[in-house]
């Protein structure tokens, strides 16, 4: 590990300390805002830029770049129209926290997904994470946790994608009411535990009886989010409902959270309703084969399927705090303005160097001095 250039992002202060892990989204704005110093831009594709594809990128919880963090690089495109979707997990999130992004001088590819700083470690707190950013896969989307809950298209013949109107870019599946995705072998994902289910969406049609994301088939033992944000679950004792009626045509983050105290409905970072009558909040036991589905209600009737765009389908075996909810939404919804970036600087021997004499006389040429002109003269390359 040899960091040759870096910048630091100072994070906003959360409403309270978040313990047990927090995953941040890095957008292109984090990098373009660091283009204020002699090193140039970390995302312009120039001499000192992080490489296209992000293979040489490393991220740290300290400015000294000694405590490395796990990251997932979904998209990192350099040049005149930069794009970035990078996820990084920190062990906690509290006031005064920073993240330092570095260019490594020897690393050329990201670590393997199962390594300490690789993709799976980013999502260690989750049971399933489906970004659904892949294109031309016909509904086959990878579970980034490494738990194998990849999706397949179980209803419909094809599923297109759209790149319009998403808060942090990328492509999202565009459902038309004719497609259903199923998460492989996911029926036990939230069994016998507190849980959080979440999804980003922009619905063309939002209805109380149209299914979006959940395990409702028939009978009992299921949890479900509807297209209008209505959240409910059924264990072996009672039905729990946290009701709402969100309109179509707006990009939102829906979350269903439940433990043995309450079922909560979260819309775009804020609680909108709750049910505190849960009698079996941590003992839902979904039957074998009733895997999580995206885009349908219990009977898979065409009239009950999802029409709109959605992505970031996530399952977690714990109930997120309200502080987590608000910080997560703020980060996802406007990542470019989530914190402030320092100047991108060269570290150690980074940049372009020349050898010049320390004193311009004949006697001095036997004792040259190395000068980094990119730091002295403010240039980033020498023709």
């Amino acid at each position: 590990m040899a960091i040759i250039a870096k910048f630091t992002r100072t994070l906003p202060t959360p409403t309270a300390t978040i313990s047990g892990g927090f995953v941040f989204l890095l957008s292109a704005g984090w990098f373009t805002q660091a283009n204020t110093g002699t090193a140039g831009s970390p995302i312009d594709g120039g001499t000192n830029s992080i490489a296209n594809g992000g293979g040489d990128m490393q991220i740290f919880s300290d400015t000294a770049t000694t405590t490395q963090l796990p990251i997932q690089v979904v998209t990192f495109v350099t040049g005149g129209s930069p794009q970035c979707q990078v996820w990084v997990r920190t062990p906690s999130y509290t006031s005064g926290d920073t993240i330092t992004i570095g260019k490594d001088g020897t690393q050329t590819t990201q670590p393997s997904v199962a390594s300490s700083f690789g993709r799976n470690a980013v999502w260690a707190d989750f049971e399933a994470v489906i970004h659904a950013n892949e294109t031309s896969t016909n509904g086959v989307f990878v579970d980034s946790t490494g738990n194998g809950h990849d999706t397949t298209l179980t209803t419909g013949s094809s599923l297109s994608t759209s790149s319009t109107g998403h808060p942090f870019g990328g492509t999202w599946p565009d459902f038309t009411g004719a497609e259903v995705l199923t998460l492989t072998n996911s029926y036990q994902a939230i069994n016998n535990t507190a849980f959080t289910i979440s999804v980003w969406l922009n619905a063309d049609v939002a209805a109380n009886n149209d299914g979006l994301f959940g395990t409702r088939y028939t009978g009992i033992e299921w949890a479900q989010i509807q297209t209008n944000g209505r959240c409910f679950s059924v264990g072996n004792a009672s039905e729990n409902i946290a009701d709402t009626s969100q309109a179509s045509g707006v990009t939102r983050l829906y979350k269903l959270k439940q433990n043995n105290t309450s079922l909560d409905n979260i819309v775009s970072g804020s609680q909108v309703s709750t049910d505190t009558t849960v009698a079996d909040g941590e003992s839902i036991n979904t039957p074998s084969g009733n895997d999580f589905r995206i885009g349908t209600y219990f009977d898979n009737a065409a009239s009950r399927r999802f029409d709109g765009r959605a992505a970031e389908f996530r399952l977690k075996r714990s109930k997120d705090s309200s502080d987590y909810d608000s910080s997560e939404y703020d980060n996802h919804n406007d990542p470019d303005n989530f914190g402030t970036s320092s100047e991108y600087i060269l570290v150690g021997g980074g940049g372009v160097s020349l050898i010049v004499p320390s004193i311009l006389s004949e006697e001095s040429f036997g004792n040259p001095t190395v000068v980094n002109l990119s730091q002295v003269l403010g240039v980033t390359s020498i023709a």
Side-chain angles (χ1 to χ4, degrees):
M1 181 174 67
I3 297 300
I4 60 174
K6 65 180 182 179
F7 71 95
T8 296
R9 187 79 170 185
T10 300
L11 303 171
T13 300
T15 53
T17 295
I18 299 170
S19 302
F22 190 88
V23 178
F24 292 95
L25 168 65
L26 282 63
S27 66
W30 288 39
F31 295 79
T32 58
Q33 293 161 25
N35 184 17
T36 58
T38 58
S41 169
I43 199 171
D44 68 353
T47 302
N48 299 316
S49 172
I50 294 170
N52 189 60
D56 56 355
M57 186 190 307
Q58 293 181 357
I59 302 181
F60 305 83
S61 62
D62 62 319
T63 57
T65 65
T66 57
T67 305
Q68 191 172 349
L69 299 169
I71 68 173
Q72 181 186 13
V73 179
V74 176
T75 303
F76 192 78
V77 178
T78 62
S81 300
Q83 300 175 40
C84 174
Q85 186 181 150
V86 173
W87 302 93
V88 58
R89 181 189 184 275
T90 60
S92 63
Y93 176 26
T94 191
S95 176
D97 279 357
T98 62
I99 291 174
T100 296
I101 297 94
K103 173 184 176 65
D104 190 84
T106 57
Q107 177 178 297
T108 57
T109 59
Q110 283 297 308
S112 66
V113 296
S115 72
S116 298
F117 305 117
R119 183 200 70 186
N120 296 357
V122 175
W123 308 106
D125 308 313
F126 293 78
E127 181 64 24
V129 172
I130 310 294
H131 298 307
N133 292 139
E134 300 94 323
T135 58
S136 303
T137 61
N138 229 11
V140 178
F141 300 119
V142 173
D143 173 15
S144 288
T145 66
N147 291 328
H149 303 308
D150 302 348
T151 68
T152 57
L153 186 67
T154 50
T155 297
S157 58
S158 63
L159 179 61
S160 62
T161 57
S162 170
S163 59
T164 304
H166 309 147
F168 45 87
T171 58
W172 290 12
D174 193 352
F175 295 82
T176 64
E179 308 88 2
V180 177
L181 301 178
T182 300
L183 277 66
T184 303
N185 197 30
S186 60
Y187 70 92
Q188 293 183 319
I190 61 169
N191 280 5
N192 302 307
T193 183
F195 61 86
T196 301
I197 304 170
S198 64
V199 54
W200 271 96
L201 81 156
N202 186 309
D204 292 328
V205 178
N208 188 36
N209 60 351
D210 290 357
L212 176 60
F213 188 28
T215 54
R216 184 169 188 184
Y217 289 74
T218 58
I220 60 174
E221 311 284 357
W222 48 262
Q224 181 84 19
I225 302 177
Q226 302 297 84
T227 61
N228 70 341
R230 187 175 191 250
C231 296
F232 54 121
S233 67
V234 172
N236 57 20
S238 63
E239 182 176 41
N240 313 295
I241 301 174
D243 218 343
T244 186
S245 185
Q246 304 296 316
S248 62
V250 178
T251 302
R252 296 187 176 94
L253 171 60
Y254 286 166
K255 298 180 78 170
L256 183 166
K257 310 187 303 182
Q258 184 167 316
N259 59 10
N260 56 16
T261 302
S262 67
L263 178 149
D264 301 322
N265 181 330
I266 311 300
V267 177
S268 298
S270 300
Q271 180 175 299
V272 297
S273 60
T274 188
D275 184 345
T276 58
T277 65
V278 294
D280 49 6
E282 294 187 12
S283 60
I284 290 178
N285 192 16
T286 305
S288 176
N290 287 7
D291 291 326
F292 271 86
R293 295 184 296 181
I294 298 166
T296 187
Y297 203 23
F298 69 94
D299 56 1
N300 198 19
S303 60
R304 297 177 184 268
R305 295 189 193 130
F306 176 55
D307 186 350
R309 292 147 303 285
E312 292 301 324
F313 305 94
R314 300 183 181 184
L315 305 174
K316 182 186 286 188
R317 294 176 62 84
S318 60
K319 185 181 180 183
D320 287 343
S321 67
S322 59
D323 303 303
Y324 193 108
D325 295 335
S326 59
S327 290
E328 177 186 49
Y329 176 73
D330 290 345
N331 175 226
H332 290 193
N333 186 57
D334 191 10
D336 283 356
N337 292 308
F338 193 82
T340 56
S341 292
S342 72
E343 174 184 315
Y344 188 50
I345 62 172
L346 299 174
V347 179
V352 180
S353 300
L354 292 178
I355 296 179
V356 299
S358 57
I359 301 174
L360 295 178
S361 64
E362 182 177 351
E363 291 80 13
S364 68
F365 276 81
N367 185 26
T369 299
V370 176
V371 178
N372 189 325
L373 292 187
S374 64
Q375 292 177 329
V376 174
L377 301 179
V379 298
T380 57
S381 62
I382 297 176

